[in-house]
Short mmCIF file of all heavy atoms in Angstrom, two decimals:
data_model
loop_
_atom_site.label_atom_id
_atom_site.label_comp_id
_atom_site.label_asym_id
_atom_site.label_seq_id
_atom_site.Cartn_x
_atom_site.Cartn_y
_atom_site.Cartn_z
N ILE A 58 -10.27 12.44 8.23
CA ILE A 58 -9.80 11.52 7.19
C ILE A 58 -10.96 11.16 6.26
O ILE A 58 -10.77 10.94 5.07
CB ILE A 58 -9.14 10.27 7.82
CG1 ILE A 58 -8.07 9.69 6.91
CG2 ILE A 58 -10.14 9.17 8.11
CD1 ILE A 58 -6.76 10.34 7.01
N VAL A 76 -5.23 2.61 -11.13
CA VAL A 76 -4.40 1.64 -11.86
C VAL A 76 -5.24 0.72 -12.74
O VAL A 76 -6.39 0.37 -12.40
CB VAL A 76 -3.55 0.77 -10.92
CG1 VAL A 76 -2.44 1.59 -10.32
CG2 VAL A 76 -4.39 0.13 -9.87
N THR A 82 -3.65 -5.77 -23.13
CA THR A 82 -4.13 -4.91 -24.21
C THR A 82 -3.01 -4.13 -24.87
O THR A 82 -3.26 -3.39 -25.81
CB THR A 82 -5.17 -3.91 -23.67
OG1 THR A 82 -4.70 -3.41 -22.40
CG2 THR A 82 -6.52 -4.56 -23.48
N ASP A 94 -10.66 2.91 -22.94
CA ASP A 94 -10.48 3.83 -21.81
C ASP A 94 -11.64 4.84 -21.72
O ASP A 94 -12.13 5.14 -20.64
CB ASP A 94 -9.16 4.58 -21.93
CG ASP A 94 -7.97 3.65 -21.63
OD1 ASP A 94 -8.21 2.59 -21.03
OD2 ASP A 94 -6.84 3.98 -22.05
N TRP A 97 -14.66 3.27 -20.17
CA TRP A 97 -14.54 3.12 -18.70
C TRP A 97 -14.65 4.48 -18.01
O TRP A 97 -15.16 4.57 -16.90
CB TRP A 97 -13.21 2.46 -18.31
CG TRP A 97 -13.01 1.07 -18.88
CD1 TRP A 97 -11.82 0.52 -19.27
CD2 TRP A 97 -14.01 0.06 -19.13
NE1 TRP A 97 -12.02 -0.75 -19.75
CE2 TRP A 97 -13.34 -1.07 -19.68
CE3 TRP A 97 -15.38 -0.02 -18.98
CZ2 TRP A 97 -14.01 -2.23 -20.06
CZ3 TRP A 97 -16.06 -1.17 -19.34
CH2 TRP A 97 -15.37 -2.25 -19.88
N GLN A 118 -29.80 10.87 6.16
CA GLN A 118 -30.00 9.89 7.24
C GLN A 118 -29.27 10.29 8.52
O GLN A 118 -29.82 10.32 9.61
CB GLN A 118 -29.54 8.51 6.78
CG GLN A 118 -29.75 7.43 7.83
CD GLN A 118 -29.23 6.08 7.35
OE1 GLN A 118 -29.46 5.68 6.22
NE2 GLN A 118 -28.53 5.37 8.22
N SER A 136 -19.12 15.97 7.69
CA SER A 136 -18.04 15.24 7.01
C SER A 136 -18.54 14.58 5.75
O SER A 136 -17.75 14.10 4.94
CB SER A 136 -17.40 14.22 7.94
OG SER A 136 -18.24 13.14 8.14
N LEU B 27 -9.58 -6.09 -19.93
CA LEU B 27 -9.99 -5.07 -20.87
C LEU B 27 -9.65 -3.65 -20.36
O LEU B 27 -10.32 -2.68 -20.71
CB LEU B 27 -11.49 -5.15 -21.15
CG LEU B 27 -11.91 -6.37 -21.97
CD1 LEU B 27 -13.42 -6.50 -22.02
CD2 LEU B 27 -11.34 -6.30 -23.37
N ARG B 28 -8.65 -3.56 -19.51
CA ARG B 28 -8.15 -2.28 -19.03
C ARG B 28 -9.13 -1.50 -18.16
O ARG B 28 -9.02 -0.29 -18.04
CB ARG B 28 -7.78 -1.34 -20.20
CG ARG B 28 -6.65 -1.77 -21.04
CD ARG B 28 -6.58 -0.93 -22.28
NE ARG B 28 -6.19 0.45 -22.03
CZ ARG B 28 -4.92 0.83 -21.92
NH1 ARG B 28 -3.96 -0.03 -22.06
NH2 ARG B 28 -4.63 2.09 -21.70
N VAL B 31 -8.89 -1.08 -11.78
CA VAL B 31 -9.09 -2.19 -10.85
C VAL B 31 -10.26 -1.95 -9.90
O VAL B 31 -11.14 -2.79 -9.72
CB VAL B 31 -7.79 -2.45 -10.06
CG1 VAL B 31 -8.00 -3.57 -9.04
CG2 VAL B 31 -6.67 -2.81 -10.99
N LYS B 63 -25.46 4.35 1.21
CA LYS B 63 -25.60 5.60 1.92
C LYS B 63 -24.37 5.90 2.77
O LYS B 63 -23.88 7.02 2.85
CB LYS B 63 -26.80 5.54 2.88
CG LYS B 63 -28.14 5.66 2.21
CD LYS B 63 -29.20 5.62 3.29
CE LYS B 63 -30.59 5.59 2.73
NZ LYS B 63 -31.59 5.60 3.81
N TRP B 67 -18.43 6.22 2.94
CA TRP B 67 -17.98 7.03 4.07
C TRP B 67 -17.31 6.13 5.10
O TRP B 67 -16.28 6.47 5.70
CB TRP B 67 -19.19 7.74 4.71
CG TRP B 67 -18.80 8.74 5.74
CD1 TRP B 67 -18.46 10.04 5.53
CD2 TRP B 67 -18.68 8.52 7.16
NE1 TRP B 67 -18.15 10.67 6.71
CE2 TRP B 67 -18.28 9.75 7.73
CE3 TRP B 67 -18.89 7.43 8.01
CZ2 TRP B 67 -18.08 9.90 9.11
CZ3 TRP B 67 -18.69 7.59 9.35
CH2 TRP B 67 -18.28 8.80 9.90
N VAL B 70 -13.65 5.35 3.97
CA VAL B 70 -12.66 6.43 4.10
C VAL B 70 -12.52 6.91 5.53
O VAL B 70 -11.50 7.51 5.89
CB VAL B 70 -12.94 7.65 3.17
CG1 VAL B 70 -12.64 7.28 1.75
CG2 VAL B 70 -14.36 8.15 3.32
N VAL B 299 -2.97 11.39 -5.22
CA VAL B 299 -3.12 10.42 -6.31
C VAL B 299 -3.05 9.00 -5.79
O VAL B 299 -3.92 8.16 -6.03
CB VAL B 299 -2.03 10.64 -7.39
CG1 VAL B 299 -2.08 9.55 -8.43
CG2 VAL B 299 -2.20 12.00 -8.05
#
Side-chain angles (χ1 to χ4, degrees):
Chain A
I58 209 84
V76 289
T82 42
D94 288 341
W97 301 146
Q118 182 182 316
S136 73
Chain B
L27 290 172
R28 294 168 70 85
V31 177
K63 284 183 186 182
W67 189 86
V70 288
V299 174

